[in-house]
Amino acid sequence: MSLALPLLALLMVIVALVRLAPRIRLWRAGAPAHVNWAQGLAAVPRRYLVDVHHVVARDPYAARMHAAVAGGLLGATGLALLGLVPPLGASRLFWGVVALLFLAMLAGALAVGARRVPTKPKRLSGGAFQVLPFLLLAYATGGSLAAGSLALALPTALFVLGLVLAAAGGLGLAWQTGGGPMRHAVTGALHLAAHPRPGRFEGCRETALRPLDLDAPKLGVEAPADLAWNRLLGLDACIQCGRCEAACPAFAAGQPLNPKRLVQDLASAMTPGGNPAYAGSDYPQARSVAGVSGFHQPIIGEGALIHPDTLWSCTTCRACVEECPMMIEHVDAIVDLRRFQTLEQGAVPLKAEQALLDLRGADEPGGAPLSARADFAAGLPVPVMAAKGEAEILLWLGTNAFDLRTGRTLRALVQLLQAAKVDFAILGAEERDCGDLARRLGDEASFQRLARLNIETLSRYRFRRILTADPHSLHVLRNEYPAFGGQYEVVHHTAFLDELAAAGRLRLRAQAPQIVTYHDPCYLGRYNGEFDAPRRLLDRLGLERREMARSGKRSMCCGGGGGAPVTDVAGERRIPDLRMGQAKETGAALVAVACPQCTAMLEGVVGERPDVLDVAELVLRALDTAPATPAMQTGARLLEPA
């Protein structure tokens, strides 16, 4: 009898491997990717127990449930296999430990069932996932009875009953590795070992897009075969928990994007017929597609599996990536697909096409002359780098400098730099667009051209740091230019102003009591990890700061990233309206922002709402200068509410 459970465990492993083999062959047929298997496999326990559970623990119930189920399943099955070793298989103490692990799994299985029966949360998938609790219960209950019978010398009938239950549940779980929930559980461990961004497990943010080889025979991803094999593997790691769905601003706004469904479609695109077994939330306003799929078949198109509107709805905010417990890289896949659509097929939305044409012709997505970039500073003495040659700080103005509203923020920033006697200069007409919009829209060729031209310009001057009020420029200059030889220390204006205030170079007066809430820009927070400096500045002003329900790493996008304003895919609602609604719930009179794109999106919300001001504008209001210079008085008048 003592060999029955070990043999069942061995049979489960064999069935699981047989069922998983076809997927393994598909992964191996993907594009090449280097993986350090020795290092990756050795890191799996830590990546699983620390990095994965760091995300899982955001839902305490799910964390306890997952720890009991996964720990009990792996521990009990692994130890049962060791029962093939005669001294262990004959030990009643050994089987007692196995029984305790099965009991832990049973507690977790009951929690899984309670979560789904009788009412399943909307973000969770049904179908095979609804069967999973019953398989877990059968395996855990049967294993507890069988192992407990061996440990306590109970009647043989109890052992047989337990073994039958364990076989039904265990073999059912093993069978599911071919196409059900257990495939994702097994694949998840391999995905953690072969992750395409291993730096994420080593304290790095790892948010920069990888450069595209523009001499490659095919640019971007057209079919599953074009994806790196470890990215194909990563798609199969999705457990359909729906956390990405709940976090996605496009899904919340009713645009035709659901990141969970997208990942499932990308995974099912490897084989003909799509994924008829998918039982989760669909794309809102789902577009009609032919449903054609296959390893070498196009993924995007009305005649394919995924409609182009789904692809262009993404704001690249990385909320899905931040919430994914399996650390799947949704945004990387989306941008790779966009690259093929843009570079190979020229199939971009009409407004986006015009923005890219302007970028290619004028080095600016709006087609404005570069000589007009510093017009916002009319009346302010702003030094230009061409005249100075060197400065401590190079102020990067960004694309939005041409916008009158952004000009107010930049004027405030310039006045603060002058008040603190900072040695700075701008590039003026020599500053081209950083290329962020082009890259997110898939126009890697324009991005690389702009990057190299800007790096060439910057190489002509001496400076210590680049300062910018634009998180998108910050991200590109700091994280994506190094791949092309541009290594710079780049600082956001909120962090720099916080430094100046802490050093006493900016004397700030406490403001009249007022409630303020801070909106975290995606490209400043999730992409670059800067959450504290803007909040410290607001606290220095004596304002009452209240957090929105979604803030910090889990902040909601304003809807302005990833080229969304120019791809302009309609939804049932507008993302900035949803975000402003969250701001109004705090009772704040002011929404503090730290990104020109966020300012534009949130100020575009109509109706009664809080005022929207950049942190720099709020700091300028509190600047203690006596007497104020005429330039500062002008700026103060600009900041007075209408």
Side-chain angles (χ1 to χ4, degrees), residues 491-509:
V491 61
H492 189 250
H493 75 301
T494 56
F496 190 67
L497 293 176
D498 184 53
E499 288 179 21
L500 295 176
R505 295 176 65 180
L506 286 177
R507 294 181 301 159
L508 304 178
R509 302 184 304 268

Side-chain angles (χ1 to χ4, degrees), residues 131-190:
V131 179
L132 179 63
F134 299 100
L135 296 177
L136 293 171
L137 280 169
Y139 184 51
T141 302
S144 300
L145 282 173
S149 297
L150 294 173
L152 301 174
L154 298 176
T156 302
L158 279 177
F159 175 82
V160 173
L161 175 62
L163 186 63
V164 170
L165 279 173
L171 292 175
L173 292 171
W175 186 261
Q176 277 199 343
T177 57
M182 294 307 294
R183 184 179 83 192
H184 312 301
V186 174
T187 302
L190 296 173

Side-chain angles (χ1 to χ4, degrees), residues 292-375:
V292 175
S293 61
F295 199 68
H296 296 282
Q297 293 294 320
I299 298 171
I300 303 298
E302 294 182 14
L305 191 62
I306 300 173
H307 195 277
D309 284 356
T310 294
L311 188 66
W312 299 111
S313 293
C314 178
T315 67
T316 68
C317 71
R318 286 184 70 87
C320 53
V321 180
E322 180 65 38
E323 292 298 315
C324 180
M326 293 313 301
M327 299 189 166
I328 297 169
E329 295 287 341
H330 313 62
V331 174
D332 285 354
I334 287 171
V335 172
D336 279 340
L337 289 164
R338 286 182 175 185
R339 285 169 167 173
F340 180 81
Q341 296 297 306
T342 301
L343 296 172
E344 293 281 6
Q345 297 198 330
V348 296
L350 188 60
K351 284 176 62 178
E353 181 180 355
Q354 185 58 53
L356 292 176
L357 285 173
D358 287 340
L359 257 176
R360 294 163 189 161
D363 293 340
E364 276 300 330
L370 299 182
S371 58
R373 190 183 297 277
D375 286 358

Side-chain angles (χ1 to χ4, degrees), residues 156-473:
T156 302
L158 279 177
F159 175 82
V160 173
L161 175 62
L163 186 63
V164 170
L165 279 173
L171 292 175
L173 292 171
W175 186 261
Q176 277 199 343
T177 57
M182 294 307 294
R183 184 179 83 192
H184 312 301
V186 174
T187 302
L190 296 173
H191 167 61
L192 292 178
H195 199 281
R197 289 184 180 269
R200 289 187 64 188
F201 304 98
E202 298 162 7
C204 304
R205 299 210 66 81
E206 280 274 346
T207 54
L209 292 172
R210 306 283 171 79
L212 182 66
D213 179 6
L214 296 176
D215 294 323
K218 180 188 287 187
L219 302 179
V221 169
E222 177 187 20
D226 301 324
L227 284 163
W229 70 264
N230 57 341
R231 292 191 180 274
L232 294 174
L233 165 65
L235 295 171
D236 273 336
C238 173
I239 197 64
Q240 298 190 43
C241 66
R243 295 189 184 207
C244 59
E245 172 185 308
C248 178
F251 180 81
Q255 293 176 252
L257 170 62
N258 177 351
K260 181 177 77 171
R261 177 66 195 259
L262 176 67
V263 168
Q264 289 304 304
D265 278 350
L266 291 175
S268 63
M270 296 184 229
T271 54
N275 185 6
Y278 175 74
S281 302
D282 201 353
Y283 303 115
Q285 302 188 81
R287 287 17 176 187
S288 177
V289 292
V292 175
S293 61
F295 199 68
H296 296 282
Q297 293 294 320
I299 298 171
I300 303 298
E302 294 182 14
L305 191 62
I306 300 173
H307 195 277
D309 284 356
T310 294
L311 188 66
W312 299 111
S313 293
C314 178
T315 67
T316 68
C317 71
R318 286 184 70 87
C320 53
V321 180
E322 180 65 38
E323 292 298 315
C324 180
M326 293 313 301
M327 299 189 166
I328 297 169
E329 295 287 341
H330 313 62
V331 174
D332 285 354
I334 287 171
V335 172
D336 279 340
L337 289 164
R338 286 182 175 185
R339 285 169 167 173
F340 180 81
Q341 296 297 306
T342 301
L343 296 172
E344 293 281 6
Q345 297 198 330
V348 296
L350 188 60
K351 284 176 62 178
E353 181 180 355
Q354 185 58 53
L356 292 176
L357 285 173
D358 287 340
L359 257 176
R360 294 163 189 161
D363 293 340
E364 276 300 330
L370 299 182
S371 58
R373 190 183 297 277
D375 286 358
F376 75 92
L380 289 176
V382 179
V384 178
M385 192 63 87
K388 290 189 65 170
E390 62 179 291
E392 178 188 3
I393 298 295
L394 189 151
L395 176 58
W396 186 276
L397 301 175
T399 297
N400 295 82
F402 297 103
D403 176 70
L404 289 175
R405 176 60 186 89
T406 301
R408 285 171 50 187
T409 297
L410 291 173
R411 283 183 70 90
L413 178 57
V414 166
Q415 291 169 267
L416 291 167
L417 295 178
Q418 291 171 339
K421 296 182 171 51
V422 174
D423 176 26
F424 76 98
I426 64 172
L427 288 175
E430 290 189 285
E431 181 188 319
R432 296 175 173 85
D433 183 77
C434 68
D436 168 75
L437 179 66
R439 188 164 233 199
R440 307 313 137 182
L441 290 176
D443 188 355
E444 182 74 3
S446 291
F447 168 76
Q448 291 193 19
R449 180 183 66 83
L450 289 166
R452 291 190 171 93
L453 288 171
N454 280 323
I455 290 169
E456 180 185 348
T457 298
L458 292 170
S459 69
R460 294 199 290 267
Y461 303 112
R462 295 180 59 187
F463 50 88
R464 191 166 69 87
R465 290 197 283 181
I466 296 177
L467 170 67
T468 182
D470 180 4
H472 297 264
S473 296

Side-chain angles (χ1 to χ4, degrees), residues 416 419 505-511 619-628 632:
L416 291 167
R505 295 176 65 180
L506 286 177
R507 294 181 301 159
L508 304 178
R509 302 184 304 268
Q511 299 296 284
V619 172
L620 183 61
R621 282 185 171 183
L623 186 63
D624 188 3
T625 57
M632 291 179 183

